[in-house]
Amino acid sequence: MSRYTGPVCRLCRAEGTKLFLKGDRCYTERCAMAKRNSKPGQHGTRRTKTSEYGLRLREKQKLRRFYGLNESQFAQIYEKAAAMPGQTGHDFLQLLERRLDNVVYRLGLAVSRRQARELVRHGHFLVNGRKLDIPSAVLRAGDVVSVREKSRDVAVLKGNAEVAASRAVPAWLEINGEAMSGRVVTLPVREQIEVPVNEQLVVEFYAR
């Protein structure tokens, strides 16, 4: 399945919640959800009855779109989480959070996961001092993510780093705005992962 390239605000409206796909715009009154909180299309205002399957499907789609993954990537991460000991839902979210593109976004070095993915692919970041251009790479506690020396004058990265210095990051991460770097302090627990979904419904969708 190819990656969605249409207007991302349409995805938020389809799921009925903010997925924060447009960066800073999502925090302003220009957000599409603030303007029109209804499903897209001519029948978007109709009330429909959702089945149990439909409810689980919507949660799965919501989480997949929140992290910007295609179906095959998403399913592979779920299979990996299902093979891990512990609660599958929590392990699933933790694996999603530990992706390099998500960590770059959570540190504030990118305004959205889509931008983070693009910046990583272009080779602007180092992990533990080595260039890593794989957005799906899963980081571990103690890993340090930094902007390459050659990339520190890139306007987008400079602007992102300046904004990031004044923003709070999740408790499992720490940011050094001046050095344009961050560190994974510890692996995230469920209470530290802010996602607008019920992960148990996603687990039930795949376990059906």
Side-chain angles (χ1 to χ4, degrees):
M1 182 183 292
S2 59
R3 189 176 302 280
Y4 177 76
T5 58
V8 293
C9 292
R10 188 181 181 90
L11 300 181
C12 295
R13 291 178 56 209
E15 301 302 339
T17 187
K18 284 190 179 186
L19 301 178
F20 300 97
L21 305 176
K22 263 265 173 112
D24 291 339
R25 178 172 178 167
C26 300
Y27 297 93
T28 69
E29 59 183 17
R30 294 173 60 204
C31 174
M33 288 295 293
K35 291 181 178 179
R36 288 189 299 172
N37 188 5
S38 62
K39 293 186 181 299
Q42 62 178 337
H43 302 303
T45 57
R46 285 187 179 180
R47 292 186 178 182
T48 57
K49 207 170 185 179
T50 306
S51 65
E52 289 294 319
Y53 170 79
L55 184 63
R56 297 184 180 101
L57 174 63
R58 289 269 55 87
E59 287 297 290
K60 188 269 291 185
Q61 292 293 78
K62 193 187 303 181
L63 185 62
R64 183 177 69 80
R65 289 167 170 173
F66 184 78
Y67 285 101
L69 304 178
N70 62 37
E71 185 60 46
S72 61
Q73 288 176 313
F74 194 73
Q76 286 173 7
I77 296 173
Y78 174 81
E79 289 174 5
K80 186 175 180 180
M84 295 169 64
Q87 293 186 325
T88 300
H90 294 180
D91 291 337
F92 188 31
L93 291 180
Q94 189 183 90
L95 288 174
L96 291 167
E97 282 291 300
R98 290 165 55 199
R99 283 173 53 100
L100 176 57
D101 54 358
N102 181 75
V103 171
V104 168
Y105 167 71
R106 292 292 195 191
L107 288 170
L109 298 175
V111 297
S112 66
R113 290 179 180 84
R114 177 179 286 189
Q115 186 189 74
R117 191 173 298 113
E118 182 178 350
L119 292 173
V120 170
R121 280 181 178 150
H122 288 179
H124 291 300
F125 291 95
L126 305 175
V127 175
N128 299 329
R130 295 184 177 182
K131 178 182 172 182
L132 184 58
D133 57 4
I134 304 173
S136 61
V138 177
L139 304 188
R140 297 171 295 181
D143 285 347
V144 176
V145 179
S146 57
V147 177
R148 290 180 65 195
E149 190 71 37
K150 294 180 179 180
S151 302
R152 295 189 179 185
D153 290 330
V154 175
V156 171
L157 287 164
K158 284 181 69 175
N160 291 347
E162 290 173 3
V163 174
S166 62
R167 283 187 176 174
V169 299
W172 58 282
L173 298 172
E174 65 179 20
I175 180 73
N176 184 332
E178 293 183 1
M180 297 178 74
S181 68
R183 185 169 72 93
V184 180
V185 179
T186 184
L187 300 185
V189 296
R190 180 62 184 93
E191 293 73 22
Q192 296 171 324
I193 302 175
E194 295 184 8
V195 291
V197 299
N198 180 347
E199 69 276 8
Q200 184 56 37
L201 293 178
V202 181
V203 172
E204 291 174 5
F205 173 85
Y206 280 112
R208 72 191 189 282

